[in-house]
Amino acid sequence: MVRPSLLAGLLAAEALLVLLYFVTNSGVLPGALGHRLGVLFDLDAEQSVGAWFSASQLLVIGLTLWSASEHVAGADRPTPWFLRLAGGGFVFLSADEAAAVHEALSRAVYKASPSVAPFGHEHSAWVVVYGVAAVLLVAFFWPQVKRFWRAFPAPSALGLAGAAVLLAGATGLESLGYLHLFMGHVEVALEETLEMIGATLMLLAALAVKDAVTDGRLRR
């Protein structure tokens, strides 16, 4: 199920991004070039290599699940439309990461009702909106979620672990930053590292689902 070469490659790329973030944002590269490289590799910026990498991982997850829907069959498996819906959700999250949709949503929600935002921070309102939406979607599609888990138990567990790691960075460490308990380059690096590793685990899970529904023909 786990693809060692792919996992090693993605983790190496993520480690390189973190290293470049510290080097280019430490002030050791002076002048205009240093500033441009700092912006390019700033893990806390929306238009950066790190954001592109994360958006790409989410996009591949979505496309993989959508592709798997063409092969899924059987009364004991989720329906094709459910896999397409899940794939579409990850494509949306990819677009969100690339275009900072949640940032704009947070500002709009905070402007309309500041009490909605956890910790009273403008940029944290998206956590409540996305959290409520996720709970409602899981509850509404619960029969399909159970079918998915029963049909693909190992990939489901891996994907859930990846989601937990991603959320630990996206909401856990970010919340500490809102509370001014953990800030600076180290906090940003840890937060983004957890998000990237979480997405990597979910990508491996999506590929395992694709392998399962195509009888392993995609495995190399």
Side-chain angles (χ1 to χ4, degrees):
M1 181 181 67
V2 176
R3 303 174 182 223
S5 58
L6 178 60
L7 176 61
L10 289 173
L11 291 178
E14 290 156 9
L16 178 60
L17 286 174
V18 173
L19 176 62
L20 289 172
Y21 167 66
F22 279 115
V23 171
T24 59
N25 285 271
S26 62
V28 298
L29 301 176
L33 178 61
H35 173 72
R36 290 173 183 172
L37 289 175
V39 173
L40 182 64
F41 293 106
D42 186 356
L43 293 178
D44 202 28
E46 299 301 333
Q47 304 299 324
S48 66
V49 174
W52 172 85
F53 181 83
S54 297
S56 297
Q57 286 200 104
L58 294 169
L59 177 61
V60 174
I61 294 170
L63 295 178
T64 300
L65 291 175
W66 189 283
S67 177
S69 71
E70 299 178 0
H71 305 280
V72 68
D76 59 338
R77 289 186 169 183
T79 57
W81 64 260
F82 179 72
L83 286 182
R84 294 190 187 107
L85 180 66
F90 277 102
V91 171
F92 167 77
L93 291 177
S94 172
D96 183 330
E97 183 69 24
V101 174
H102 64 284
E103 295 283 353
L105 177 64
S106 281
R107 288 191 293 270
V109 172
Y110 184 81
K111 184 176 181 180
S113 180
S115 61
V116 173
F119 320 115
H121 197 284
E122 179 185 58
H123 296 294
S124 64
W126 72 269
V127 175
V128 175
V129 177
Y130 279 31
V132 171
V135 170
L136 291 176
L137 285 172
V138 170
F140 186 78
F141 294 109
W142 184 244
Q144 290 293 322
V145 173
K146 289 193 296 183
R147 280 190 180 187
F148 187 93
W149 186 278
R150 290 169 182 167
F152 314 108
S156 295
L158 181 60
L160 187 61
V165 173
L166 188 151
L167 289 173
T171 61
L173 285 178
E174 190 165 338
S175 297
L176 295 180
Y178 294 145
L179 294 172
H180 305 289
L181 298 177
F182 189 21
M183 302 180 68
H185 291 327
V186 174
E187 184 271 330
V188 170
L190 286 176
E191 175 189 331
E192 298 301 327
T193 297
L194 288 176
E195 291 184 25
M196 290 188 290
I197 291 176
T200 293
L201 295 178
M202 288 191 288
L203 173 56
L204 293 174
L207 289 170
V209 171
K210 180 65 182 289
D211 283 346
V213 299
T214 55
D215 298 324
R217 288 195 296 272
L218 295 185
R219 186 171 295 283
R220 297 288 187 266

